[in-house]
Amino acid sequence: MTPRTATLIGLTAILMWSLLSVMTVATGKIPAFQLAAMTFAIGGLVGLLTWIGRGDAAKSLRQPLVVWVVGVGGLFGYHALYFLALRFAPPAEAGLLNYMWPLLIVLFSSFLPGERLALHHIIGAVLGLVGTVLLFAGNSSGFAPGAVPGLIAAFIAAFVWATYSVLSRRLKAVPTDAVAGFCLATAVLAALMHGLLETTVWPETAVQWLSVIALGIGPVGAAFYAWDIGMKRGDIRVLGAASYATPLLSTGFLIAAGFAKASANIAIAAVLIAGGGLIAAKDMVLRKR
């Protein structure tokens, strides 16, 4: 697999994650950790189904403890912190702090062997950050002192996801099949958190059940496998900068579904984020075939 192909596969994860908000809304009022347990279980099953006909795929789960710590710590740690952030802090501010992770991925990539962080990578990531700030501007509802723990959790979550993503490159030898195990372990931990903190609420309609299944197959399933391929074999700097398209595309899908309204801020943010992504991807876009 060429780096270009792996990068394109990684970009599909960004597209799938942009559907996360609208799909989550469609699931109804299922508690956060319960929804995580259900969808990660489905996501893990998606990975297991790809093992059919490949008898040696199960061997991918035989990994050193550090691999499991990175894999499960990244998936469960990030989502637990983000859910905690949304519980205590206003969604706009929590989301903005959380979306520091694309910039952190671009910056952290400079520490990887053989990777070189060029000026256009930094410019592209910063433009994406500015566009994201503008996207969230006007949605602020202010925050009380009690929201500080949530804001801190959102900030730490950004570091957790960026670290997990970049360390995936260092663990390049670990097959993507292992992500199925990480998803299933995350589902178990989420179920335990649900039992401790939440009251079970099952989907009430066929649409809600289908939305849960779709979430598990796509944004909380195939997306993590695609992201793993992109991080391990693609251009990590391009993927980091392009990740700023996630909140923009997510907002676009919410508008199309009638859950949000279009605005000038969104239009300007689109230009900044798209422009930043193209600048960061200059090497890949202009590469001679």
Side-chain angles (χ1 to χ4, degrees), residues 7-223:
T7 302
L8 292 174
I9 291 174
L11 290 174
T12 66
I14 295 173
L15 179 60
M16 285 185 274
W17 284 333
S18 68
L19 292 167
L20 183 64
S21 294
V22 68
M23 285 185 175
T24 300
V25 171
T27 62
K29 299 181 179 179
I30 303 173
F33 280 109
Q34 179 188 343
L35 184 61
M38 295 170 70
T39 53
F40 270 103
I42 296 171
L45 180 60
V46 168
L48 294 182
L49 290 175
T50 66
W51 294 6
I52 296 176
R54 296 188 295 126
D56 60 341
K59 295 179 181 179
S60 64
L61 298 181
R62 298 175 184 172
Q63 300 296 334
L65 179 60
V66 65
V67 173
W68 282 93
V69 170
V70 171
V72 179
L75 295 183
F76 176 74
Y78 169 77
H79 287 87
L81 285 166
Y82 189 50
F83 290 157
L84 181 65
L86 294 178
R87 180 182 292 268
F88 290 102
E93 284 83 353
L96 183 56
L97 280 173
N98 177 62
Y99 268 100
M100 287 291 293
W101 65 260
L103 177 60
L104 292 173
I105 286 178
V106 174
L107 296 178
F108 289 175
S109 69
S110 63
F111 296 104
L112 292 170
E115 297 290 342
R116 183 178 62 87
L117 190 60
L119 180 61
H120 63 276
H121 295 128
I122 299 175
I123 292 175
V126 170
L127 282 176
L129 178 60
V130 172
T132 301
V133 171
L134 187 60
L135 186 64
F136 282 94
N139 293 327
S140 176
S141 56
F143 62 91
V148 173
L151 297 173
I152 293 175
F155 187 65
I156 296 175
F159 274 85
V160 169
W161 187 252
T163 301
Y164 162 75
S165 297
V166 174
L167 285 179
S168 293
R169 183 61 151 246
R170 294 300 300 268
L171 301 174
K172 191 175 181 179
V174 178
T176 297
D177 286 328
V179 175
F182 304 155
C183 286
L184 292 174
T186 297
V188 172
L189 291 174
L192 291 174
M193 293 296 291
H194 166 65
L196 292 172
L197 303 173
E198 301 171 337
T199 300
T200 301
V201 177
W202 295 109
E204 298 177 347
T205 66
V207 171
Q208 291 179 1
W209 275 110
L210 289 173
S211 296
V212 170
I213 294 171
L215 267 176
I217 293 175
V220 192

